[in-house]
Amino acid sequence: MLINKFIFKAIFVLSFFFFQFEASAQEKAIEIKIDASEELGSMKPIWAWWGYDEPNYTYMKDGKKLLSEIASLSPVPVFVRAHSLLVTGEGTHALKWGSTNAYTEDENGNPIYDWTIVDKIFDTYIERGMKPFAQIGFMPKALSSKPEPYRHYWKPGAAYNDIYTGWAYPPKDYEKWAELVYQWVRHSVERYGKEEVESWYWELWNEPNIGYWQGTTEEYIKLYDYSADAVKRALPTAKMGGPETTGPGWDKAAEFLRTFLDHVKNGKNYATGETGSPLDFITFHAKGSPKVVDGFVKMNMGAQLRDISKGFEIVASYPEFKHLPIIIGESDPEGCAACSEADYPHNAYRNGTMYASYTAASFSRKYELADHYGVNLLGAVTWGFEFENQPWYAGFRDMATNGVNKPVLNVFRMFGMMEGQRIKVNQENLDYNFIKVRNESVRGINPDVNAIASKTDNSIAIMVWNYHDKNDLEVPASPVKLIIDNIPVNKVLINHYRVDQELSNSYTLWKKMGSPQNPSSEQIKSLEKAGQLHLFTSPEWKDIEKGKTTLEVELPRQAISLIRLSY
């Protein structure tokens, strides 16, 4: 009996110390060390690229408002990529549909060019200091080799393949197609000036290795040759590229990308008969793959990073092309922006902070993967804009709902304050680095608490996030200790910005309002204010001793902080 009591007491004492140890381990701060003297390369604004399916939203009320906000958050011109710029129709729009009526023919088959709607779209960009990432596509009805049916009426929940109608087919006349491209580029030069158009990027089609192109690989290559030749004839200094394949992590997409690059390198040009074809930049896509598991949305950032990694690997294997700019033409947590949460429950991450923290963590890894492969990453297009006349917070992949910004847009506002040179973040003692996230995603017990940092002559900026693939917000916040070394001054002004469940978060406020689908004007004003980026604490001056300082932060799950030291 005494022995049993002794054993019980021993177990109790050991359990007490075990739980005390576990609690102290949980409370121990995650140390992130930043060395301001160790530069890694330029903090290129790879995030300053956006795209969307529905081009006619561009000049609508909420479209113009969002474009203005996107333009104002960036210190450099933002590039915009839109589908369907050559699709036939009177400016009609719907989910995954748009039209411009740029090309029709008279009864004798003679071309009729009408740039009214295309100009309206591009004017909207240019007026805001933005630039077109001009997508040459899709096929006008009069040129389509299979024009009927032409218009689709897809809605969320319907089969995705329903969208691939007459606009997705090769031309019945490649010469007429080439003339259309030539006239478009020449018109752009006449309207906007040679110097302006030289700063744009021209590309052909979208995801030609799947249903978006109802021709063969060889027919796409033929179309590319005719298109590139037409662009260069109209403006020899224009920048032309492709092929905008789906993620090269899929072997068939990788094969398409290699086949295209092999042709551009040494194939016989369909348009000119010469060897090779013009190529000024290379494009492909990268997507993650979220699922609902045990009632939680579980993201898969690793899938997206593996697409990027394989694409970089392929480009790096061509010495002739390794130096060329790479634009990840769509770089997102999953594939369908117009697929709402109601019909696709795995998209429930989009309204809140999970999309925001995913964006912070994934963009940081894009820089690191480009460094790893030694390639020239120029941009990564976020395929998410806005959807007109849709329910509030319907769970589309967009930056704003009914003119109110979602939390994700505030991460881009944070990136807009990161300029100059990227600087070293020591990741040796952290749970995740870019290789581990690429290979495994973020599936362990511990979250991915990490940072990206940059500096200019008068500032240091550090973005730190607390991300996990599982959208469980009921876990404790993580204490983080930022240790910043080699600060070149004795005093700094600290501004701490935050995106979390309460700050810079219109979605949380909307839910507190009772999730109104017809909010009052006062409620809308409050939501608009909540949708902006907010300071976490008041700005404060801090003395720096021997070039070093330590900042302590409590960072909740799926939250992001930007800490900026100005001097």
Side-chain angles (χ1 to χ4, degrees):
M1 190 72 176
L2 286 172
I3 293 173
N4 288 340
K5 285 184 178 180
F6 175 78
I7 292 172
F8 177 79
K9 187 173 182 180
I11 292 172
F12 176 80
V13 171
L14 287 172
S15 298
F16 175 79
F17 280 112
F18 173 78
F19 286 118
Q20 287 292 101
F21 173 78
E22 186 178 49
S24 64
Q26 289 176 345
E27 292 169 2
K28 185 179 179 182
I30 299 167
E31 290 190 356
I32 299 178
K33 297 178 181 179
I34 298 102
D35 189 341
S37 68
E38 191 166 348
E39 297 180 359
L40 302 177
S42 173
M43 185 74 193
K44 292 181 184 177
I46 64 170
W47 45 267
W49 299 71
W50 266 270
Y52 44 99
D53 291 79
E54 301 85 2
N56 306 99
Y57 290 164
T58 302
Y59 48 79
M60 294 183 174
K61 175 177 65 69
D62 290 341
K64 283 185 172 183
K65 179 180 180 181
L66 181 55
L67 285 170
S68 294
E69 295 200 64
I70 289 173
S72 66
L73 65 80
S74 176
V76 298
V78 171
F79 284 87
V80 188
R81 176 179 184 252
H83 289 341
S84 301
L85 292 174
L86 296 177
V87 167
T88 302
E90 304 299 327
T92 52
H93 60 86
L95 294 178
K96 300 194 73 65
W97 178 263
S99 58
T100 66
N101 229 36
Y103 180 92
T104 54
E105 292 180 355
D106 64 18
E107 62 273 13
N108 297 317
N110 297 311
I112 300 172
Y113 304 107
D114 184 350
W115 306 112
T116 304
I117 297 177
V118 173
D119 288 347
K120 195 173 181 180
I121 293 166
F122 281 14
D123 285 355
T124 305
Y125 302 153
I126 301 300
E127 287 164 2
R128 287 158 178 77
M130 307 172 102
K131 294 187 180 291
F133 181 10
Q135 185 183 127
I136 303 171
F138 298 119
M139 195 58 60
K141 187 174 184 179
L143 285 179
S144 176
S145 56
K146 189 180 178 183
E148 296 293 349
Y150 191 76
R151 169 73 195 272
H152 73 71
Y153 295 90
W154 181 87
K155 292 182 179 179
Y160 195 85
N161 286 347
D162 290 353
I163 71 171
Y164 304 133
T165 51
W167 56 264
Y169 284 82
K172 59 187 179 185
D173 188 323
Y174 282 83
E175 295 288 347
K176 279 188 173 181
W177 168 265
E179 185 63 18
L180 166 61
V181 175
Y182 173 82
Q183 293 293 338
W184 185 13
V185 177
R186 194 177 76 166
H187 167 78
S188 298
V189 172
E190 291 172 353
R191 184 174 183 84
Y192 302 106
K194 176 174 176 287
E195 184 178 354
E196 173 61 32
V197 180
E198 284 176 332
S199 69
W200 301 359
Y201 292 85
W202 296 84
E203 58 156 5
L204 177 67
W205 225 256
N206 177 69
E207 299 182 339
N209 60 306
I210 61 170
Y212 278 92
W213 176 246
Q214 294 291 308
T216 65
T217 302
E218 205 60 31
E219 285 173 321
Y220 173 80
I221 286 171
K222 180 177 180 179
L223 195 73
Y224 182 86
D225 285 349
Y226 273 92
S227 302
D229 179 66
V231 169
K232 296 290 186 176
R233 281 190 289 111
L235 180 62
T237 50
K239 295 189 280 280
M240 177 71 192
E244 290 289 5
T245 57
T246 59
W250 179 29
D251 57 353
K252 292 184 179 180
E255 180 184 357
F256 191 104
L257 179 57
R258 287 194 182 95
T259 301
F260 172 79
L261 293 176
D262 287 342
H263 172 80
V264 167
K265 176 183 172 184
N266 53 29
K268 182 179 179 181
N269 190 296
Y270 281 95
T272 67
E274 299 174 357
T275 299
S277 196
L279 184 68
D280 299 306
F281 60 94
I282 299 168
T283 60
F284 57 84
H285 295 177
K287 304 285 186 175
S289 181
K291 292 179 172 60
V292 176
V293 180
D294 298 328
F296 289 95
V297 174
K298 182 175 280 189
M299 308 298 283
N300 191 348
M301 189 183 296
Q304 183 184 359
L305 297 183
R306 288 191 290 275
D307 274 342
I308 295 170
S309 186
K310 191 63 178 179
F312 287 173
E313 178 189 317
I314 291 171
V315 173
S317 70
Y318 289 82
E320 303 88 349
F321 303 139
K322 185 177 181 179
H323 69 284
L324 289 182
I326 295 172
I327 302 169
I328 307 172
E330 296 178 22
S331 190
D332 305 290
E334 35 66 41
C336 177
C339 296
S340 62
E341 176 186 342
D343 295 285
Y344 308 88
H346 59 272
N347 291 335
Y349 75 91
R350 292 169 165 181
N351 287 328
T353 55
M354 191 168 205
Y355 191 6
S357 62
Y358 183 107
T359 298
S362 62
F363 266 89
S364 176
R365 276 50 191 259
K366 294 170 196 177
Y367 286 102
E368 293 173 304
L369 282 168
D371 291 344
H372 181 69
Y373 286 100
V375 295
N376 179 14
L377 177 59
L378 179 66
V381 177
T382 294
W383 201 258
F385 183 50
E386 65 95 18
F387 293 86
E388 294 278 339
N389 303 316
Q390 295 293 336
W392 286 80
Y393 299 95
F396 293 105
R397 194 175 68 235
D398 48 14
M399 301 292 103
T401 176
N402 291 281
V404 171
N405 297 337
K406 291 184 175 181
V408 63
L409 191 61
N410 285 316
V411 173
F412 291 103
R413 289 191 170 101
M414 289 177 171
F415 274 120
M417 290 187 275
M418 300 188 74
E419 301 179 80
Q421 296 292 309
R422 285 180 294 124
I423 54 178
K424 179 73 177 291
V425 176
N426 189 325
Q427 300 181 6
E428 291 178 5
N429 298 318
L430 302 180
D431 287 293
Y432 291 91
N433 59 22
F434 75 99
I435 293 293
K436 186 174 180 179
V437 178
R438 180 195 66 182
N439 295 346
E440 304 176 16
S441 205
V442 184
R443 301 295 175 85
I445 295 174
N446 294 330
D448 172 29
V449 178
N450 215 312
I452 182 172
S454 67
K455 73 170 186 179
T456 65
D457 290 339
N458 55 17
S459 69
I460 295 170
I462 304 159
M463 184 189 293
V464 57
W465 59 84
N466 182 344
Y467 171 78
H468 198 281
D469 274 352
K470 184 178 180 181
N471 195 20
D472 182 2
L473 299 174
E474 300 303 318
V475 295
S478 297
V480 181
K481 185 182 290 185
L482 299 174
I483 303 169
I484 310 161
D485 205 1
N486 290 307
I487 302 169
V489 294
N490 296 323
K491 201 177 189 72
V492 298
L493 176 64
I494 299 175
N495 283 285
H496 182 174
Y497 300 89
R498 169 68 66 82
V499 178
D500 60 23
Q501 290 305 299
E502 300 300 326
L503 274 178
S504 313
N505 190 332
S506 63
Y507 182 53
T508 295
L509 178 60
W510 180 72
K511 289 191 293 184
K512 288 180 179 178
M513 290 175 175
S515 306
Q517 281 301 326
N518 294 291
S520 67
S521 58
E522 287 302 313
Q523 286 177 318
I524 291 173
K525 287 179 183 177
S526 296
L527 289 168
E528 287 176 329
K529 183 177 179 180
Q532 298 298 311
L533 180 60
H534 293 271
L535 284 165
F536 181 61
T537 58
S538 297
E540 63 172 308
W541 287 96
K542 186 174 178 65
D543 292 324
I544 305 300
E545 296 183 7
K546 297 180 180 179
K548 191 172 185 176
T549 193
T550 298
L551 305 173
E552 296 186 0
V553 178
E554 286 285 327
L555 198 61
R557 184 65 57 89
Q558 312 298 10
I560 313 98
S561 280
L562 179 79
I563 298 170
R564 198 162 187 268
L565 285 61
S566 302
Y567 43 86

